[in-house]
Amino acid sequence: MNETEPRWSRAAILAGALYFIAGLVFAALAGRAPSPALRTTWRAAAYLVSAFVFAVHIRHEHMRGARPLTTAMHASIGVALGACALAFAANLHALSTPSANRVRLAIALVAWPLLTGVPAFLASLFAASILKRPTDSTSPP
């Protein structure tokens, strides 16, 4: 990235890459799990790692002094980038699978970022609004 690119985009791209890596790694581990319980555990671990990345991204934006709406936009862009990368990887994987429904996979390139980005926007807007609330240290407990 060059110096004229905003810093927030670096954080969004990094978060998206972390979501993508977590998705691939934990999917591979779940796919090789010897039991349904372990498969579920690996999938839950993917959600926990993604939630951690999401929280760190929101906190990063908050520490930069971003407004809640800006924080929500940047965090949801990171989520959408990760989802788009996973959809692209699914499309690449489908090339080696003759029975794959390519139309559905092509729709996933748009649907997955929307289905993850919109809720991420709402959740991060809520979280950032709570973080931005002023605290009144002079009032009694």
Side-chain angles (χ1 to χ4, degrees):
M1 286 192 203
N2 60 34
E3 291 300 317
T4 62
E5 237 173 303
R7 287 186 182 190
W8 72 264
S9 65
R10 293 178 187 169
I13 291 168
L14 176 61
L18 292 173
Y19 295 128
F20 175 68
I21 292 166
L24 289 181
V25 167
F26 286 109
L29 291 170
R32 289 176 178 80
S35 70
L38 190 54
R39 185 176 315 117
T40 301
T41 301
W42 284 124
R43 288 178 179 163
Y47 284 116
L48 287 173
V49 168
S50 295
F52 178 76
V53 171
F54 188 61
V56 168
H57 194 178
I58 291 169
R59 181 71 177 163
H60 169 74
E61 291 291 331
H62 175 72
M63 296 304 289
R64 287 184 55 240
R67 292 185 214 161
L69 192 60
T70 303
T71 297
M73 184 63 72
H74 295 172
S76 63
I77 287 172
V79 168
L81 286 172
C84 190
L86 285 168
F88 184 73
N91 274 272
L92 287 178
H93 178 70
L95 294 175
S96 65
T97 309
S99 64
N101 187 328
R102 296 202 184 359
V103 173
R104 285 187 184 173
L105 286 165
I107 291 170
L109 289 169
V110 174
W112 290 5
L114 286 175
L115 290 171
T116 57
V118 172
F121 178 84
L122 296 173
S124 55
L125 181 61
F126 178 74
S129 296
I130 289 175
L131 287 173
K132 209 57 158 173
R133 289 173 65 185
T135 56
D136 186 8
S137 60
T138 59
S139 63

